[in-house]
Amino acid sequence: MAAHTFYSSAPLTGRLRVPGDKSISHRALMFAGLAIGESRISGLLEGEDVLATAAAMRQLGAQIERLDDGTWLVNGAGLGSLVEPRTALDMGNSGTSTRLMMGLLASHAITATFVGDASLSGRPMNRVIEPLSQMGASFEASSGGTLPCMVRGAFPAVPITYRLPVASAQVKSAVLLAGLNTPGITTVIEPVATRDHTERMLTGFGAKLEIGEDSGERVISIHGEADLTAMDVTVPGDPSSAAFFLVAASIVPGSDLVIENVGLNPTRAGIVTVLKQMGADIEELNAREVGGEPVADLRVRHAPLTGIEVDPAIVPSMVDEFPVLFVAAAFAEGTTVCTGLEELRVKESDRISVMAAALTAAGARVEEQEDGLTIHGTGGEPLRGTSNARVKTHLDHRIAMSMAVAGLASKDGVEIDDTAPIATSFPTFMPMLKDAAK
Ligand code: S3P
């Protein structure tokens, strides 16, 4: 464990470039690993979660190599030609790697065991086990539907039509990936739209998808037994990583920071909308497209924030950004009310109760509800800081980074128990923060 205290900061200034998008990086490695031919991936996030995906794809037969200039070369195993791994697939902390790869394996005649760290081993897998079992795969999970879990894929699997009971891009993607190697057409119905990187990128790799709408619900169909063809992917910067700097610069007086190359896919950009509603000064510069995704540079300047009621309809487009939004709210004038956050309880940690405890330890006033959090802001005054308490991060990178940001505008500093989990999604967070606050 690497404890660290984050103290009151100088203004954040200059320009920085956050690492590649985690969701897109996972998908790039997986789809390239299934395609025929050589794909080059640039801008790949080299965080532990994505490296777990790379290692697992290698175990399944893909050839994956990192060049000295940071480009990744992938020679795919070919859809339908994955090999059975000789040892367990260690997914570390990564729910996305686990759930998407369970989907991949479900329609291959392969048996594999998934294992993970203490956080991942407590997370629910029944949400993918259920639809993938309907397609013919079988699972032996630990009690409560958790890892370690053995998967026995089915070939041929059976195409299904599946209506998502929870708004989850991971579940959607697991079913679509199983559908890739399943004869016929597999359909997912999404009552609430979630991030659409799988649909965008699979189309790029040559899969045939149809995306429509029926009574306000998104309907996504994939034609099975596709041939994926190698392609080059440029991964845009991760808006979920940029969010920590958007909030940091908003709450530290005097800040004026440009965050370059931030992915702004509408299914991901909710945090920018909500921060602007609170009065944040965020300008989108140089809007362009990178790797089939909308991207811009974001200029953010310190500004007084005001508490708001966050529309629950926006939750899926910023589901990972609530911990840092709670921090922004802790410095706002007035009260911020967040509801519709049930899914936060099953992320890398229970992000409602862990953030409630962390913010309280740092001197903020919050009230926890079953599906949300109410935060009474300081009106721009610094938080007290943790003094004798230490924030427990529960192996959750986003708790660690969010509370680091809170420390930047605190009187006594915020001590977190462990910075190590930050490496799962943003290994360069600490040096970048130091650099921006020089
Ligand atoms: C992800 C989907 C989200 C998100 C996770 C990444 C993805 O999870 O929280 O960090 O890449 O598909 P859910 O699908 O469980 O909401």
Side-chain angles (χ1 to χ4, degrees), residues 21-24 26-27 49 95-97 99-100 123 127 166-173 194-198 240 268 316 318-321 343 346-348 351 397-398:
D21 187 282
K22 181 154 75 73
S23 292
I24 295 174
H26 284 301
R27 287 158 172 82
D49 278 13
T96 308
S97 313
R99 296 193 179 118
L100 268 58
R123 299 183 65 188
R127 51 182 57 199
V166 281
S168 167
Q170 293 179 356
V171 178
K172 167 177 68 177
S173 301
T194 64
R195 65 191 70 193
D196 63 357
H197 307 303
T198 296
S240 300
R268 294 288 300 285
M318 55 177 291
V319 69
D320 292 333
E321 283 65 77
E343 274 297 300
V346 291
K347 295 295 179 188
E348 286 82 330
R351 287 181 173 162
H397 54 131
R398 300 203 196 281

Side-chain angles (χ1 to χ4, degrees), residues 8 72 90 116 269 279 281 287 399 423:
S8 166
W72 287 66
D90 186 352
D281 182 352
I399 304 294

Side-chain angles (χ1 to χ4, degrees), residues 409-426:
S410 68
K411 288 197 199 84
D412 303 338
V414 167
E415 182 178 7
I416 66 172
D417 63 354
D418 195 7
T419 55
I422 292 174
T424 61
S425 69
F426 197 166

Side-chain angles (χ1 to χ4, degrees), residues 64 86 201 258 408 422:
I64 303 178
R86 281 201 286 251
M201 203 188 290
V258 176
L408 305 181
I422 292 174

